[in-house]
Amino acid sequence: MTRRKKIYEGKAKILYEGPEPGTLIQYFKDDTTAFDATKKAVLEGKGVINNRISEYVMTRLNSIGVQNHFIKRLNLREQLIREVEIIPLEVVCRNIAAGSLSTRLGLPEGQALPRSIIEFFLKDDKLHDPMVTEEHITAFNWASTQEIDDIMALTLRVNDFLTGLFGAVGITLVDFKIEFGRIWENDFGRVILADEISPDSCRLWDSTTNEKLDKDRFRRDLGDVIESYTEVARRLGIMKEMPTVIQGGLH
């Protein structure tokens, strides 16, 4: 760990130089933050669970033609990924009113939206990730019109896939956040899915009880965060392969 060159450290992950050019190693931390990192905790085993869930989802997405940066899982906490030029946007897809959408528009949490809504936020912690429009994105050259079209089309494909994936195991996909990056082939840039897909980046509710199975449990002091993340993994069928190391977090 100490000899590897650290490329970037975020709130939940660290990126290290990869073994081959054009690759990185993505390390999943147990650190958990909310409200622009004003609330922090270390949840033992969270990184292990998110690594497995993200591996499972990214592999399944690859198999239906949604290209992403995932190459393979290396161990409990690390994956080998393709190095991409990150587009500085957080892309949020919403199916049901919750979180900041409820606050902004006065919608009751849990209200189904007329259709899936995609919102863009600038990736900038100092500015608290402000919401931006397509006009801002093209004016400041964060992404081209074609890239925005590609991002929106890919986001809706991911939404359709995840809605079915989680719905089949009794989980409602309320909303999710994803990020995209460019890969270059000669002078041609292509947009692919990056970052992670896990209960850290999705709102997931039990379809029968509406019990929250995601990071809102941490945000709202509901407790049982690791248990809920583990339940998502169990329902997806990957729990049986989960290592006993996470059991330390299951008090």
Side-chain angles (χ1 to χ4, degrees):
M1 288 279 293
T2 51
R3 286 194 295 275
R4 292 189 305 197
K5 183 180 176 187
K6 186 193 292 187
I7 305 294
Y8 170 82
E9 181 165 1
K11 293 189 279 281
K13 293 183 297 297
I14 304 173
L15 295 178
Y16 294 99
E17 201 169 52
E20 304 286 335
T23 67
L24 296 171
I25 292 171
Q26 180 166 257
Y27 175 92
F28 286 76
K29 303 195 288 186
D30 286 343
D31 298 38
T32 304
T33 65
F35 312 120
D36 288 326
T38 54
K39 181 176 184 177
K40 299 179 185 178
V42 176
L43 300 174
E44 187 181 346
K46 184 194 75 132
V48 175
I49 302 169
N50 282 352
N51 186 17
R52 294 305 294 268
I53 292 175
S54 197
E55 170 200 18
Y56 178 77
V57 174
M58 291 293 197
T59 302
R60 295 286 302 274
L61 284 168
N62 250 328
S63 72
I64 64 159
V66 177
Q67 195 178 7
N68 57 70
H69 72 169
F70 178 81
I71 299 172
K72 65 178 179 179
R73 184 172 57 83
L74 298 174
N75 52 48
L76 292 180
R77 293 181 177 276
E78 295 179 332
Q79 357 181 294
L80 184 67
I81 59 171
R82 295 180 71 170
E83 185 174 14
V84 301
E85 180 186 312
I86 283 287
I87 294 169
L89 298 171
E90 295 185 345
V91 183
V92 175
C93 184
R94 304 181 184 273
N95 301 307
I96 293 168
S100 66
L101 186 71
S102 291
T103 308
R104 266 186 282 130
L105 302 184
L107 300 172
E109 183 174 87
Q111 177 179 314
L113 301 175
R115 60 178 173 81
S116 300
I117 292 173
I118 296 175
E119 296 177 336
F120 298 103
F121 298 83
L122 179 64
K123 270 176 64 71
D124 191 318
D125 288 342
K126 292 191 191 74
L127 299 175
H128 312 297
D129 302 327
M131 189 174 176
V132 293
T133 67
E134 292 181 41
E135 280 286 294
H136 296 119
I137 295 167
T138 53
F140 296 111
N141 205 28
W142 298 323
S144 67
T145 305
Q146 180 61 57
E147 286 173 332
I148 293 171
D149 288 347
D150 292 346
I151 285 169
M152 292 183 76
L154 284 166
T155 300
L156 289 174
R157 285 192 69 192
V158 171
N159 187 43
D160 285 346
F161 174 78
L162 292 182
T163 298
L165 180 77
F166 288 121
V169 295
I171 296 174
T172 300
L173 178 67
V174 175
D175 57 35
F176 62 92
K177 172 193 77 73
I178 49 179
E179 296 181 21
F180 292 88
R182 297 180 189 91
I183 52 172
W184 295 93
E185 286 149 2
N186 300 318
D187 290 335
F188 179 71
R190 188 160 75 252
V191 170
I192 67 169
L193 183 63
D195 197 40
E196 70 175 301
I197 295 177
S198 74
D200 265 10
S201 60
C202 303
R203 278 194 175 89
L204 304 169
W205 294 356
D206 181 275
S207 298
T208 304
T209 65
N210 281 346
E211 181 186 6
K212 294 173 174 59
L213 302 171
D214 56 68
K215 193 174 169 181
D216 271 349
R217 298 200 70 84
F218 174 70
R219 292 186 188 100
R220 302 184 185 192
D221 294 318
L222 298 174
D224 295 339
V225 181
I226 293 296
E227 287 86 343
S228 297
Y229 282 35
T230 305
E231 175 64 12
V232 173
R234 187 191 69 76
R235 291 197 198 182
L236 290 174
I238 55 181
M239 190 62 212
K240 58 185 176 292
E241 304 165 22
M242 295 292 282
T244 52
V245 71
I246 69 160
Q247 303 306 316
L250 299 177
H251 300 308

